[in-house]
Amino acid sequence: MNFWELLTSAKTQDFIKDARSRKLDALQVSTRLNKDGCSNEERSVIMDYMALVPKFREKFFGESERKDKFLLCDKLALEQSTAQDIGRWKAGLWPSEGSVHDLCCGMGGDSFFLPRSLKITGVDLDENRLAMYRYNMGVLGKSAESQCADVREVARNNDSNGNKKKDYFTIDPARRAIEGENQRDLRNLTPTLEEVAEISKHYKGGMAKLPPGYPPAEIPDGTEILYLGGHSDCRECLVLFGALAKNPDTVRAVIVDKSGETLAEWSRKRDRESETLDDELQEKLDKNDTLEGKDRTYRTATSRNDLPLGCISQYISEPAPVLIRSHLFNQAALDCDPSAHLISEGIAYVTSEKPLSAPGFSCYEVLAHAEIATGAVRAMLKEHDIGKITLKLRGVKLDPDAEIKRLKSKGKNSAILFYTRAYGEKIAILARKF
């Protein structure tokens, strides 16, 4: 029995159901599997899989449908798959008729949410992934063919074989070399974006899922670029080709709610100049990139067309990650308040006289600010009777837990404490959620 047969057997799945209902711990699970005659390797496979069960149920199924659902996957396949909220939103981009190749299909995360009216074929070079794909599509009651092949060859053959020609494609290029580790070089995709662009020429239209931090300047002209996520994350950079690109040479940022509906959306015409930083600014940001507490998201937060610099105003706001990735936070901020501006280059904290609206921004009312020195910050906290602190770091190097202990705040109120930079200098900003 191979491991896929082991995991999909009624005996194993009944065991998992029972173990989960009894809330058995790892030792109890291992002991019971040993008594059932499982080898060490079989025990390891089953226990690793059990850890994934609640994760894939939450990722792909609604609360009313996730109980007792079993899919085939491993940790890496699960991490790379599209979750239900984004998947349901993306379903609206497809036409109601036609056929589609799910290239680099993996466990099937993208095919799960394709409209049932489309004829689907999953393509992958990995037979294990295709075994997952076939089983999972069956669990979801979706009809699909599968093909073990190099996706580049499949695309080239798409024009020459009329019986198998597909109208559309979707592709999620492999981007992680080691399980659980993101590739640092975002250009290291298989197939490459250049190859995906070539693949697109053999179809009416299609979509490619890229890491959100992929350099936008390398995305070809004539495509539509979508940044998708919730209000606190950016999970996909989606590039639409051909007939699926309803708004070519446009950049959109979309915040999606848990049910897959649009919560907020912004757009702009693509501007090549804003996608490339000048050498002087790039050098500054490269130096700041080594600072602890400065998320890599914000390394390209500032370009020629972003907001001007200014002093700290009445409110300070964090743009949603989809707005930062898409370089739309400047437009969204100015729509709320024409006075909106940054307080430091390369750091996407926006300050304004009026509050900036959710879900595009998390907005805070500024209470006070001081230099980052223990005495000055303690005095500021004492003046406003602050006890509980949430410390946010961006552009400042220190251990947040150690800093909170060192400040020894003992007041009755709670507040947000920003450790960041204003005009490049370190500053502490005390604020409360608006």
Side-chain angles (χ1 to χ4, degrees), residues 105-178:
C105 63
M107 67 174 289
D110 287 310
S111 285
F112 293 172
F113 304 101
L114 289 172
R116 291 182 179 272
S117 56
L118 294 176
K119 297 178 181 179
I120 307 167
T121 302
V123 182
D124 208 294
L125 261 179
D126 188 330
E127 283 284 10
N128 285 329
R129 291 289 192 266
L130 286 173
M132 295 178 190
Y133 182 85
R134 289 188 289 267
Y135 180 83
N136 295 339
M137 293 296 279
V139 169
L140 273 73
K142 300 192 74 171
S143 175
E145 298 178 358
S146 63
Q147 184 177 353
C148 185
D150 186 313
V151 298
R152 290 159 289 204
E153 290 299 321
V154 169
R156 282 190 285 268
N157 295 335
N158 194 42
D159 290 333
S160 60
N161 189 338
N163 293 328
K164 292 185 178 180
K165 183 174 181 180
K166 303 300 178 187
D167 298 322
Y168 303 97
F169 75 93
T170 180
I171 188 167
D172 182 4
R175 61 192 184 280
R176 293 180 185 173
I178 302 173

Side-chain angles (χ1 to χ4, degrees), residues 83-335:
Q84 58 175 316
D85 53 349
I86 300 296
R88 287 176 177 144
W89 188 91
K90 285 162 61 173
L93 299 173
W94 294 96
S96 58
E97 297 181 349
S99 55
V100 59
H101 274 143
D102 184 350
L103 304 176
C104 304
C105 63
M107 67 174 289
D110 287 310
S111 285
F112 293 172
F113 304 101
L114 289 172
R116 291 182 179 272
S117 56
L118 294 176
K119 297 178 181 179
I120 307 167
T121 302
V123 182
D124 208 294
L125 261 179
D126 188 330
E127 283 284 10
N128 285 329
R129 291 289 192 266
L130 286 173
M132 295 178 190
Y133 182 85
R134 289 188 289 267
Y135 180 83
N136 295 339
M137 293 296 279
V139 169
L140 273 73
K142 300 192 74 171
S143 175
E145 298 178 358
S146 63
Q147 184 177 353
C148 185
D150 186 313
V151 298
R152 290 159 289 204
E153 290 299 321
V154 169
R156 282 190 285 268
N157 295 335
N158 194 42
D159 290 333
S160 60
N161 189 338
N163 293 328
K164 292 185 178 180
K165 183 174 181 180
K166 303 300 178 187
D167 298 322
Y168 303 97
F169 75 93
T170 180
I171 188 167
D172 182 4
R175 61 192 184 280
R176 293 180 185 173
I178 302 173
E179 186 171 300
E181 290 189 9
N182 284 314
Q183 283 281 7
R184 283 193 172 274
D185 185 356
L186 297 174
R187 299 171 179 83
N188 191 10
L189 304 178
T190 306
T192 66
L193 182 57
E194 291 80 5
E195 290 172 321
V196 171
E198 186 62 31
I199 286 170
S200 73
K201 297 176 183 177
H202 300 280
Y203 297 86
K204 290 181 182 178
M207 63 174 65
K209 182 170 73 174
L210 301 180
Y214 195 90
E218 298 186 11
I219 297 175
D221 291 331
T223 59
E224 183 176 356
I225 306 173
L226 300 177
Y227 290 87
L228 306 175
H231 88 277
S232 61
D233 58 30
C234 181
R235 279 178 274 161
E236 292 187 14
C237 172
L238 195 66
V239 181
L240 304 182
F241 295 85
L244 291 191
K246 303 297 184 184
N247 304 287
D249 296 314
T250 298
V251 178
R252 282 199 280 163
V254 182
I255 295 179
V256 178
D257 68 15
K258 292 181 179 180
S259 64
E261 298 295 323
T262 300
L263 201 57
E265 180 176 338
W266 302 263
S267 66
R268 63 172 172 84
K269 293 301 292 183
R270 192 172 179 188
D271 178 8
R272 282 287 186 179
E273 184 179 356
S274 70
E275 294 174 358
T276 305
L277 304 181
D278 58 63
D279 292 341
E280 182 182 355
L281 181 54
Q282 186 66 64
E283 184 179 355
K284 289 180 181 179
L285 298 181
D286 285 341
K287 289 180 179 178
N288 283 342
D289 196 40
T290 61
L291 291 172
E292 187 175 313
K294 182 175 172 58
D295 191 292
R296 292 173 64 85
T297 298
Y298 303 97
R299 182 169 177 265
T300 55
T302 305
S303 69
R304 295 183 186 91
N305 293 338
D306 283 340
L307 299 168
L309 294 177
C311 298
I312 299 170
S313 298
Q314 186 173 353
Y315 297 94
I316 186 168
S317 300
E318 296 176 293
V322 292
L323 287 177
I324 295 172
R325 291 295 192 189
S326 62
H327 283 282
L328 273 159
F329 74 89
N330 51 347
Q331 175 184 313
L334 292 173
D335 287 345

